[in-house]
Amino acid sequence: MRQRYYIEDIGEHVDSEVTLEGWLTGKRSSGKILFLQFRDGTGFIQCVASKSDIGEEAFEAAAGLTVESSLKVTGTVKADSRAPGGYELSVMGLQIVHVADEYPIGRKEHGDAFLLDHRHLWIRSSRQFAILRIRATVISAARDYFDSRGYTMLDTPILTPAACEGTTTLFSTDYFGESAYLTQSGQLYNEATAMAFGKVYCFGPSLRAEKSKTRRHLTEFWQIEPEIAFADLSDIMDVQEELVSEIVGRVLKDRARELEMLERDTEVLKRVQPPFPRVTYSEMVKLLGKNGVEFEWGNDFGAEHETVISQTFDRPFMVTHFPKSVKPFYMELDPEDERLTLSVDMLAPEGYGEIVGGGQRVTDLAVLERSVDEGALPRADYEWYIDLRRFGSVPHGGFGLGLERVVAWVCGIHHLRETIPFPRMLKRLRP
RNA sequence: UCCUCGGUAGCUCAAUGGUAGAGCAUCCGGCUGUUAACCGGAGGGUUGCAGGUUCAAGUCCUGCCCGAGGAGCCA
């Protein structure tokens, strides 16, 4: 394959001639000198063209280019402190590939609805570029964490016959005359693969037809879910904090430029080191009381509570031992207090709230059967899952890490809709 | 589903019930170091839809549609 040059590696080619292939993000001219803002998908660079270097004809053609026109630019790489990023390209020649129509997204501000309607173009802008590159790094770091520790990655199905939980609203679809649902989580299937492979994880979309309309919700979001045989609650918490620390460390190391583009305070991220604070649900209820927030034991934390609590800590923290009433049927009960479960949620600081949820699963056949019945779940659809307790049942557990929430927190951005290439939300299916 | 706010030029917004404007974008002209460049000029409107009040409605009233924020809900 021929030699290609990318902006990301431009520092390796100072004073040599390269050709870059990409798009024009903007331009400024001063009569006989032209500044072309250029991107190639790996970064952004300014190209400087003067009439004396490239000739009148090429100069006029370049001056007439519209925003988002595609072109190949040949020139010499210069280190220049005046340029953002430290380098610029001194243009010797350029080849126009396509002259774009008038581009709808300008450099001035736009409303949320307008930008979401133009998401297919919006992802070209520098802020979205930074966020989505960080997303890719978060995924890569998480997968590397598991792959390098002997986990087997096993995909779980997206089309399922039953809900993971009876109460939640599901997207349903026709499956050759039978109704099927889009998965909310790979967890139940993970438990089956964990009994076959020991340590497993899955990475895929979770779909929920909830009519949630907040910055913390998408109807289609991605989860990374490990499941470990012979693991107890303490093991699960160790994995959670190690995983999250590794993810944040990788982003700090490999995506410093992107974090800078987002003006993210990296001091906060550098504090993300084990051990994370661990508190029980009951301690948390007391803590809320001390902060003057009324809260009745047995309820689940709402947005307000999570915000108050998460401002108490300077790094992610874990809340354990939630009451049975607020957790799903498969959670193992606390042997010391049967009102409680061996569950753990991790909450991100700075008001970001829950980013991980998990815990130990029910081991005993009779306990699980009772839970399924109490939840009024269709027994037939869960028979395979119950089977896992008939054939070599062992203590096991795992968790789900909500990718978009982690990306939002790491990037320090307000709304989940910017953390996924094409967000799916209530009333937004297009583009 | 509930509460709040909004819908005016391509975009972001302004306009005491009395001639619909500005900035950006676009087009034309100027400028050899611009950083959301700058300077001068031009074009650009079914004020979300339907009805009502009024001499007169972008503005007031009623209904509907659409969007945003929040709540509820939510591994």
Side-chain angles (χ1 to χ4, degrees), chain A residues 10 16 70 74 90 133 140 201-202 219 227 242-243 252 280 285 297 301 317 321 339 354 374 400:
Chain A
I10 206 76
S16 52
S70 45
T74 303
S90 186
R133 293 253 290 187
S140 173
Y201 73 98
C202 67
T219 54
E227 193 71 28
E242 208 177 24
L243 171 66
L252 282 169
T280 66
V285 173
W297 195 98
F301 299 126
F317 61 98
H321 300 87
R339 295 174 305 155
E354 187 182 346
E374 280 170 5

Side-chain angles (χ1 to χ4, degrees), chain A residues 281 298-301 322-328 341:
Chain A
Y281 171 90
N299 289 338
D300 203 358
F301 299 126
F322 284 83
K324 193 173 190 294
S325 52
V326 301
K327 286 292 171 188
T341 56

Side-chain angles (χ1 to χ4, degrees), chain A residues 144-324:
Chain A
D144 286 348
Y145 173 88
F146 293 120
D147 290 343
S148 66
R149 284 168 175 78
Y151 288 72
T152 304
M153 152 89 174
L154 291 157
D155 303 306
T156 53
I158 290 170
L159 286 165
T160 62
C164 281
E165 325 198 347
T167 52
T168 326
T169 316
L170 293 162
F171 284 110
S172 64
T173 186
D174 174 71
Y175 194 78
F176 306 111
E178 185 179 357
S179 64
Y181 304 96
L182 303 183
T183 186
Q184 297 177 294
S185 158
Q187 195 224 297
L188 301 187
Y189 293 96
N190 264 350
E191 290 184 51
T193 57
M195 295 305 129
F197 296 85
K199 288 187 289 188
V200 303
Y201 73 98
C202 67
F203 174 51
S206 291
L207 301 121
R208 288 195 210 146
E210 287 153 11
K211 297 201 169 175
S212 299
K213 196 171 145 55
T214 83
R215 66 193 183 91
R216 290 175 180 171
H217 289 89
L218 297 170
T219 54
E220 180 178 308
F221 65 101
W222 286 64
Q223 290 198 94
I224 294 165
E225 298 171 275
E227 193 71 28
I228 309 161
F230 297 100
D232 62 17
L233 182 62
S234 166
D235 297 327
I236 299 305
M237 291 196 282
D238 291 346
V239 174
Q240 283 187 11
E241 68 182 9
E242 208 177 24
L243 171 66
V244 170
S245 301
E246 182 146 318
I247 288 171
V248 172
R250 261 285 281 288
V251 173
L252 282 169
K253 180 170 152 286
D254 293 349
R255 291 289 171 249
R257 175 104 181 90
E258 283 77 7
L259 289 171
E260 193 186 324
M261 289 167 77
L262 295 167
E263 298 177 331
R264 179 63 165 128
D265 177 3
T266 52
E267 291 309 310
V268 179
L269 298 179
K270 285 174 187 160
R271 283 200 294 268
V272 181
Q273 302 282 344
F276 295 173
R278 300 177 179 196
V279 291
T280 66
Y281 171 90
S282 297
E283 287 165 349
M284 200 51 74
V285 173
K286 282 182 201 152
L287 195 64
L288 279 171
K290 274 187 204 159
N291 282 280
V293 182
E294 269 192 44
F295 188 85
E296 191 181 339
W297 195 98
N299 289 338
D300 203 358
F301 299 126
E304 183 206 356
H305 310 116
E306 285 194 359
T307 303
V308 170
I309 296 163
S310 74
Q311 282 164 354
T312 318
F313 297 99
D314 72 342
R315 67 190 70 197
F317 61 98
M318 291 180 273
V319 184
T320 65
H321 300 87
F322 284 83
K324 193 173 190 294

